[in-house]
Amino acid sequence: MTGIDPRGPRFTAAVTALIVAAALVIPSANLSALLMFIQGAFFAVGAYAGVQYTPTAVLFRRVIRPRLSPPTELEDPRPPQFAQGIGLVFAVVSVTGYAIGPVLLGQVAAGLAFAAALLNAVFGFCLGCELYLRGLRLKERLA
Amino acid sequence: MTGIVVLAVAVMAALGFGLYRRTRDGRFAADAAAGDGPTTPTTPTTPAWTAILAAHPDGELGERATLVQFSSAFCAPCRATRVVLGGIAEREAGVVHLEVDAEKHLALVRALDVRRTPTTLILDAAGRELGRAAGAPRRDQVLAALPA
């Protein structure tokens, strides 16, 4: 397993938070749907190809990382990749809400995605990863 | 307008939750079933070790303490926790570090009521739980919670 610079996913989370915040603030539901669609596409790349391959990760590697000191430790790319998958689910729900309705559904889904992205960007806290064990326990109980 | 309200609520919820978690993470609290406090386990209930041994038959109890770490694949702070606990087990005499894959031992996870990874249990020499911490603990937090 090759580790990744943990600041990469945090940078990605910061950009995610900005895009989703813009979708929430813009008064046009169609534009919000478009922004959430773009963000959803980023999530899809992160979830399926890996967090190292999202546009923000490429930007981080090419432009930002060369200006930073080397990372003190590397991180397993699987937790953030899993979280991108969770993000994708919220983006799909949000796009559906904004494009088809109700708009409130789009806003609430975007709000949840924003909160998770902000937690990751500010505290380095991966909400999707935290919920993973809960999900497993629930799944086993239902099975 | 609603979007701005949703954004404001999300900002406050995320910052509030993040700050709360920052104060709680890695702090060792005595398990309610284990006794009054980290240093005075009173109820000799079924030691946590019995359940852990069922999942990890080759596990060995430390003479002074055992640090049982529950980890999963999708867990970034588990790696840091492994480094901290492994280092302590190496330096402190009689302290053993055991890592349990939570995904493979869900029955044990439920029996011990582990809710997230990493969760670290500190067991005494008899295998009773003295306390536990959810989230990555710092070195000094572990050292302070170790039995004498």
Side-chain angles (χ1 to χ4, degrees):
Chain A
M1 186 203 76
T2 51
I4 54 169
D5 189 330
R7 294 167 298 187
R10 284 182 79 164
F11 173 69
T12 297
V15 176
T16 301
L18 284 179
I19 293 175
V20 178
L24 278 168
V25 173
I26 284 175
S28 152
N30 285 336
L31 270 181
S32 298
L34 180 66
L35 277 174
M36 288 310 293
F37 181 83
I38 294 169
Q39 181 54 53
F42 288 0
F43 278 143
V45 174
Y48 290 104
V51 276
Q52 309 94 302
Y53 304 103
T54 59
T56 46
V58 173
L59 182 71
F60 174 79
R61 229 177 7 252
R62 297 249 171 89
V63 182
I64 301 172
R65 191 173 165 177
R67 290 155 210 268
L68 300 176
S69 54
T72 48
E73 54 176 7
L74 296 178
E75 188 184 75
D76 187 340
R78 287 175 303 171
Q81 180 166 2
F82 175 76
Q84 295 271 303
I86 306 259
L88 177 59
V89 174
F90 282 100
V92 168
V93 173
S94 181
V95 170
T96 310
Y98 276 123
I100 303 168
V103 170
L104 185 63
L105 177 70
Q107 290 168 328
V108 170
L112 291 169
F114 173 82
L118 193 66
L119 271 174
N120 200 338
V122 177
F123 300 100
F125 179 89
C126 174
L127 193 62
C129 310
E130 291 271 331
L131 295 174
Y132 178 64
L133 190 61
R134 296 264 184 170
L136 277 184
R137 280 182 67 170
L138 192 68
K139 203 171 109 189
E140 206 206 31
R141 188 172 306 167
L142 297 177
Chain B
M1 184 60 208
T2 318
I4 295 170
V5 173
V6 170
L7 182 63
V9 170
V11 168
M12 286 190 292
L15 293 183
F17 182 72
L19 289 173
Y20 168 75
R21 265 300 172 76
R22 189 183 264 183
T23 64
R24 302 288 300 192
D25 264 13
R27 204 158 79 181
F28 282 91
D31 181 44
D36 295 331
T39 48
T40 54
T42 47
T43 39
T45 48
T46 319
W49 184 248
T50 312
I52 294 164
L53 207 53
H56 268 263
D58 54 345
E60 275 179 36
L61 206 53
E63 282 166 32
R64 182 176 160 208
T66 306
L67 307 169
V68 183
Q69 176 189 348
F70 284 85
S71 299
S72 63
F74 302 127
C75 167
C78 286
R79 197 183 237 205
T81 305
R82 184 180 308 137
V83 172
V84 167
L85 299 184
I88 290 172
E90 222 167 76
R91 260 168 252 134
E92 300 285 321
V95 176
V96 170
H97 174 217
L98 175 73
E99 193 167 352
V100 178
D101 186 342
E103 290 163 67
K104 289 199 187 116
H105 303 289
L106 282 176
L108 178 62
V109 164
R110 178 135 19 78
L112 295 175
D113 195 26
V114 172
R115 291 173 192 176
R116 59 193 186 103
T117 53
T119 289
T120 306
L121 271 59
I122 297 187
L123 308 184
D124 67 7
R128 283 177 306 234
E129 181 179 335
L130 296 178
R132 61 170 66 189
R138 291 190 315 270
R139 197 179 134 73
D140 58 294
Q141 287 177 312
V142 182
L143 290 177
L146 280 177

